[in-house]
Amino acid sequence: MLSKNQIAQRIAKEVKNGQYINLGIGIPTLVANYIPDSLEVVLQSENGLLGIGPFPKEEDVDPDLINAGKQTITMLKGSVLFNSAESFAMIRGGHVHLTILGAMEVSENGDIANWKIPGKMVKGMGGAMDLVASAENIIVAMQHCSKSGESKLLTECTLPITGVRCVKKIVSDLAVLEVSPSGGFILKERAPGVSVEEIKEKTSGKLIIEGEVPEMVFD
Amino acid sequence: MINKTVKDAHEAVADIPTGAFLMMGGFGLSGIPENCISALLQRDIKDLTIVSNNAGVDDFGIGLLLKKRMVKKMISSYVGENAEFERQLLQGELEVELIPQGTLAERVRAGGAGIPAFFTPAGVGTEVAEGKEIREFDGKQYLMETGLKADFSIIKAWKGDTAGNLIFKGTARNFNPIMAAAGKICIAEVEELVEIGELDPNQIHTPGIYVQRIFEGRNYEKRIEQRTVSN
């Protein structure tokens, strides 16, 4: 099974040179740590910044400079600041190439649920609905199963959904899967030491296995 | 130039009545109008509707207004960091309309720009779309959202001049510029108030035409929610 950092490390391999990328809160934020320096990419923060840099040194902390997770950050050279309407114009307008976000559930047709547990947890959707409705490529970072062992990769989402037919790829603690345009999770890679049998058992939606499934390779 | 200066936060919010529809700038606790929130807390008003991306935290920002039960309804996109908000919401003591962040921003922008409604893909197929008109453009579905206007928009900028021209700093800009235009009366508090002519017109983010009242705030706490540093 992959740790959160390993999930982030595996997702970073999906990043391509020249991309503008929005990273969600949680595991997706960690992806930034694993993007190779050889790639020129720009990270967008939907609260109004292109060009997120590393977390600041203690003496450089600026309360007027935070990311969408409200963490203090820095700006890289060439950064630009803008208002919230402009930020989402970039997102809805399809100018952000890759969106990486977390999920509570994903269905086999690519629906995602990550904003609400009725009667229990109401945090709000933040920018997630705008992001999933518009991004050309959406990768989800998630745990394959809940703490009680229930699969979170389902035939249909049970929680209120954030967007329909939008997830293209999932990196879980057990596997890399692609969502088939005709429905179903195509198993692409296994986490080290995890068998196809185990992934089958822990995937409640339709799982598609095409030939040998390789183990993930970490550099 | 028209001088928009008022003495302080108390004078700026003195005529906000019970039941008013307000907008407040800020993302998390960054760029919130701290002085006006403090002044509102001393007013004996209630049943406010507040449009704000977040609802502060339990003991700072809009969270203080919630705690004092001055708020009837919040219109927000994310309220995750406020336990009192979540409690009042789950108990049904507070009305809440949760809106996708980009839709919220665009509704505010549209309201200020004289656009009554627009179509967005955000929320199609979700409970956000319930009861809303859906239309298809180029084979993709969109839902209709309406522009938002407020009786008062209360915002915070870094620098401003007496004519109400504003400059923001960092990500404290967020919803503040678009809310300026969407309020019938926009109250701007700034860290530094200067005379006209001192701001470079090339660098102004928000034109003073949108701002009706401006004052220099005091004692900004600028609380940080998630202080994160690198080693």
Side-chain angles (χ1 to χ4, degrees):
Chain A
M1 276 184 20
L2 301 185
S3 66
K4 288 179 179 177
N5 275 300
Q6 286 172 313
I7 294 175
Q9 194 178 353
R10 176 59 191 82
I11 290 175
K13 290 175 75 171
E14 304 292 323
V15 171
K16 294 183 180 70
N17 196 43
Q19 283 184 323
Y20 287 88
I21 304 168
N22 182 288
L23 302 177
I25 296 165
I27 300 175
T29 304
L30 299 172
V31 173
N33 300 336
Y34 299 100
I35 299 173
D37 292 339
S38 58
L39 296 185
E40 288 186 356
V41 298
V42 178
L43 302 180
Q44 199 239 23
S45 195
E46 66 258 31
N47 56 320
L49 167 65
L50 277 170
I52 306 173
F55 295 123
K57 296 200 170 67
E58 184 64 47
E59 61 269 26
D60 296 327
V61 165
D62 179 355
D64 293 326
L65 208 50
I66 60 170
N67 64 16
K70 286 98 176 176
Q71 294 171 306
T72 45
I73 50 165
T74 57
M75 291 188 284
L76 297 177
K77 273 185 192 168
S79 285
V80 57
L81 297 153
F82 36 86
N83 72 50
S84 300
E86 180 93 50
S87 179
F88 282 91
M90 286 171 201
I91 290 167
R92 280 190 312 266
H95 307 283
V96 174
H97 304 112
L98 175 62
T99 289
I100 300 168
L101 75 177
M104 298 174 189
E105 293 177 349
V106 175
S107 78
E108 65 188 32
N109 65 1
D111 296 355
I112 178 172
N114 70 353
W115 74 282
K116 183 180 185 183
I117 303 173
K120 275 191 194 157
M121 193 276 298
V122 188
K123 292 195 184 299
M125 64 291 277
M129 282 193 183
D130 309 273
L131 283 158
V132 300
S134 309
E136 60 186 72
N137 192 6
I138 297 172
I139 301 178
V140 165
M142 67 190 296
Q143 305 298 327
H144 212 95
C145 297
S146 67
K147 290 199 179 86
S148 57
E150 303 283 318
S151 177
K152 295 166 136 194
L153 278 66
L154 309 168
T155 308
E156 272 183 67
C157 292
T158 64
L159 295 169
I161 60 170
T162 310
V164 291
R165 295 180 174 276
C166 53
V167 176
K168 300 281 188 292
K169 191 173 262 188
I170 298 159
V171 178
S172 78
D173 51 340
L174 302 181
V176 177
L177 309 106
E178 279 175 12
V179 176
S180 164
S182 53
F185 301 105
I186 306 169
L187 182 58
K188 302 301 282 187
E189 295 173 29
R190 299 171 290 119
V194 174
S195 66
V196 170
E197 281 309 308
E198 181 179 354
I199 295 163
K200 250 189 209 169
E201 198 181 300
K202 292 182 173 169
T203 305
S204 144
K206 180 180 168 193
L207 187 69
I208 300 166
I209 300 162
E210 296 163 335
E212 280 294 299
V213 181
E215 219 173 65
M216 284 175 215
V217 179
F218 288 93
D219 305 324
Chain B
M1 284 293 153
I2 304 167
N3 190 330
K4 314 277 179 72
T5 313
V6 294
K7 193 174 81 213
D8 57 15
H10 296 285
E11 185 183 336
V13 306
D15 59 347
I16 295 179
T18 280
F21 190 104
L22 310 179
M23 286 181 185
M24 280 194 193
F27 182 97
L29 300 178
S30 175
I32 61 171
E34 293 184 22
N35 278 241
C36 284
I37 291 171
S38 298
L40 278 172
L41 279 170
Q42 291 173 35
R43 294 279 324 281
D44 185 23
I45 52 174
K46 56 180 182 174
D47 291 338
L48 300 172
T49 295
I50 303 180
V51 178
S52 173
N53 188 56
N54 311 89
V57 293
D58 285 328
D59 59 349
F60 199 60
I62 292 173
L64 297 169
L65 303 173
L66 288 167
K67 211 176 224 173
K68 219 186 142 194
R69 301 300 181 93
M70 296 171 75
V71 184
K72 182 182 73 175
K73 182 174 182 181
M74 285 298 308
I75 299 177
S76 305
S77 89
Y78 189 81
V79 296
E81 278 80 22
N82 191 319
E84 173 67 11
F85 182 106
E86 209 165 336
R87 192 198 64 75
Q88 287 188 22
L89 173 57
L90 290 170
Q91 298 294 315
E93 296 166 15
L94 177 72
E95 283 177 59
V96 176
E97 195 178 335
L98 287 168
I99 298 182
Q101 194 177 141
T103 298
L104 182 64
E106 191 61 16
R107 289 184 69 186
V108 170
R109 195 201 68 79
I115 303 290
F118 58 92
F119 286 86
T120 176
V124 168
T126 75
E127 63 181 50
V128 165
E130 282 168 22
K132 290 176 184 159
E133 182 183 340
I134 306 276
R135 277 182 57 185
E136 199 172 297
F137 298 91
D138 292 330
K140 186 171 168 174
Q141 288 196 320
Y142 297 81
L143 56 91
M144 192 177 82
E145 296 281 3
T146 54
L148 278 173
K149 287 185 207 170
D151 300 322
F152 296 84
S153 61
I154 305 175
I155 67 169
K156 193 243 159 201
W158 179 40
K159 288 183 183 177
D161 67 19
T162 55
N165 297 307
L166 303 174
I167 294 177
F168 301 88
K169 176 171 163 274
T171 52
R173 189 181 320 186
N174 55 64
F175 284 81
N176 284 298
I178 49 176
M179 285 182 171
K184 279 184 208 115
I185 292 174
C186 170
I187 301 167
E189 55 174 89
V190 296
E191 289 178 54
E192 191 185 346
L193 183 63
V194 300
E195 292 302 318
I196 52 169
E198 287 188 37
L199 300 180
D200 177 354
N202 289 299
Q203 305 297 329
I204 290 168
H205 297 126
T206 294
I209 188 170
Y210 301 128
V211 177
Q212 280 68 44
R213 299 171 191 172
I214 189 166
F215 67 93
E216 186 171 286
R218 280 191 283 267
N219 304 322
Y220 281 100
E221 182 180 333
K222 294 197 183 182
R223 196 185 291 189
I224 293 171
E225 277 179 78
Q226 306 285 340
R227 176 180 289 270
T228 312
V229 296
S230 62
N231 305 315

